[in-house]
Every structure is written in structure tokens, then in C-alpha cells.
Amino acid sequence: MYLLFATYFLLGAVIGSFLNVCIYRLPNGKSIIRPPSACGSCGHRLSVLDMVPVLSYIFLRGRCRYCKAPYSSRYMFVELLTGILFALCGLYYLPGLKMALVFFFIACLIVQAFIDLDHQILLDEILMLMLPTGIIYAYYALPDMWDSLYGALFAGGLMLLIFLLSRGGMGAGDVKLSFVLGVWLGLKASVVCLMLAFVLGGIIGVLLLVTGIKQRKDPIPFGPFLCIGAYIALLFSPYLIYFYWNLFV
């Protein structure tokens, strides 16, 4: 079992390295295949040893091997995060198609969350990949396809209502992402996802305002909170619903 979890973590860390490329290049309209990865300071092409997930950052102390310029620790963070999220899936999914689809889902969530943090946008191209894979996942994992439809209509409809009432306070990308998340999660898990997103968004938003990191008129992207809520709901919604129900009933 431990070997299997280690394998999931290593797979996630390797994929996380590729996700870093996607996060940097996709919003700028660049190819994720060419040119090969290079140092952002000196332009030297990176070798395999420079791109070993997590370990390269540690052994090189966060600096380019060639020009010694520092680079962001977020590269290592994304690799670690992807590895940990993949490993946790091993508690709930057996190797197979459903697990592969969930890994793809997690990868898309990570890319969307960090792009939204950096640029305040959610990419339609990734949503168009998430939608058909979500339908396939729903066919195998949810009680029936109606549950997927109800989840999409609830999550997308609620966010659309908020979008219209807020007059731009909520982005259209958040509406589209919520609709796609509903396809993946079904109705009950979609409720959990949105509740978690609003609670987390409210708490973090207040903390950012209190600490002065953000001002009242500064935009705070909501996509990352939706992505966090979606991951938690995907794995833990039955337990959270059971806990919530027994807490008040």
C-alpha cells in the first residue's frame, strides 16, 4: 500500500512539473511543447537534472545551475501539491479508468487555480477538456447521469444568478467552471463544493483585508476557492454531509 501511495505521489510530482509549464505558458498563448524549458534569466536550456521534481529545487537551492539566478519556490510547491493530492486519491480509488479521470481532473483544477491567481482568468480551453471527461466520469462514478445534470444546473445556475445580481462582481469564468464542476460532482457534492468555496473565500478575503494585503476594491479571484472546494467535495463530500447532518439533526 505504501509503495502504491509513493507511486501516486511520484506520478503527481512529475505531472506537477508539466503543470508549471502550463500555468506559465497557456495564459500567454505559448506552446506547452516548444521551445524546451529554459532559465528565465540567462535563457540556458535546462537539462533533465535541472528539472527533477522537488529534488532539483532543493539541491540547487532554488537557483539556476548556470547563472545562479533565483527562481520561485512555487515550482516546487506545485509539484509537491500535485503529488500529495494524487496520493490522497489512493485512499478512495482503485487503479483504473476512474482514477485516471480523477488525476486529470485534479491537474485541470491546479492549472485553473494558479492561472486565476496570476491573471484573474479561467481558460475556456481547459474547461472544454474538463466537460467531456466529466461526462465520462459521471457515467462510471455517479448514481446516474441525471445526478450529473442536476449538479451542473444547480452549480452553474446559482453562480449565474450571483453573476447577474453582482453586476460583474463574480466573473463569467466562475459560472462556467461551476457548471463543469457540477457535471463531475453531481448534486450533493456540488452543494458541498459551493459551500466550501464561499466559506473559504469569505475567510481568506477577510484575512487579506485585515492584514492589508488586499484593499476593498482589489479583485480576489474566486476560481481557486472553487477548485479547492471541488477537490474536497470529490473525495470527502459523503463524510462532510454525514457530519453536517448529525450535527444539526
Side-chain angles (χ1 to χ4, degrees):
M1 182 180 294
Y2 293 114
L3 179 60
L4 194 59
F5 287 161
T7 302
Y8 295 151
F9 175 83
L10 291 175
L11 175 63
V14 171
I15 292 178
S17 181
F18 173 70
L19 298 185
N20 277 318
V21 176
C22 296
I23 292 167
Y24 174 74
R25 296 189 182 187
L26 287 178
N28 298 310
K30 297 180 179 180
S31 169
I32 58 176
I33 301 175
R34 294 184 178 278
S37 297
C39 173
S41 298
C42 66
H44 195 287
R45 180 175 175 178
L46 302 180
S47 67
V48 175
L49 292 178
D50 299 318
M51 297 185 291
V52 178
V54 181
L55 296 180
S56 288
Y57 184 89
I58 294 174
F59 289 132
L60 295 175
R61 298 180 180 179
R63 295 182 177 274
C64 171
R65 182 193 301 272
Y66 310 99
C67 68
K68 307 304 179 184
Y71 59 92
S72 175
S73 60
R74 197 174 80 174
Y75 292 107
M76 182 181 71
F77 176 76
V78 170
E79 294 164 354
L80 280 172
L81 177 65
T82 311
I84 292 170
L85 297 185
F86 275 30
L88 285 175
C89 289
L91 297 172
Y92 301 94
Y93 295 93
L94 295 174
L97 177 60
K98 283 198 292 186
M99 175 173 277
L101 290 169
V102 168
F103 284 168
F104 178 80
F105 181 62
I106 293 170
C108 290
L109 292 179
I110 292 173
V111 172
Q112 291 281 43
F114 281 97
I115 288 178
D116 200 20
L117 281 173
D118 292 339
H119 304 278
Q120 286 75 58
I121 58 172
L122 294 163
L123 297 183
D124 290 340
E125 296 86 346
I126 297 179
L127 292 176
M128 293 303 295
L129 293 175
M130 295 174 70
L131 182 57
T133 51
I135 294 173
I136 297 172
Y137 175 82
Y139 177 79
Y140 286 102
L142 297 183
D144 54 60
M145 294 303 294
W146 288 107
D147 190 32
S148 177
L149 177 61
Y150 295 150
L153 292 176
F154 168 77
L158 178 61
M159 294 297 289
L160 177 60
L161 179 62
I162 295 173
F163 170 75
L164 295 174
L165 294 177
S166 66
R167 299 180 181 180
M170 182 72 68
D174 297 319
V175 178
K176 291 181 282 188
L177 175 60
S178 299
F179 179 87
V180 173
L181 294 180
V183 172
W184 275 86
L185 299 174
L187 180 57
K188 291 181 180 179
S190 292
V191 174
V192 174
C193 170
L194 292 186
M195 287 182 62
L196 289 171
F198 285 121
V199 170
L200 290 173
I203 293 173
I204 299 300
V206 170
L207 290 176
L208 291 175
L209 291 174
V210 169
T211 56
I213 298 176
K214 291 282 188 178
Q215 303 301 317
R216 293 184 63 87
K217 294 185 178 181
D218 291 339
I220 299 176
F222 192 62
F225 301 113
L226 286 171
C227 293
I228 294 171
Y231 178 83
I232 296 174
L234 183 72
L235 266 61
F236 306 111
S237 61
Y239 307 101
L240 294 174
I241 292 172
Y242 178 81
F243 173 78
Y244 185 82
W245 182 261
N246 283 276
L247 192 63
F248 294 99
V249 176

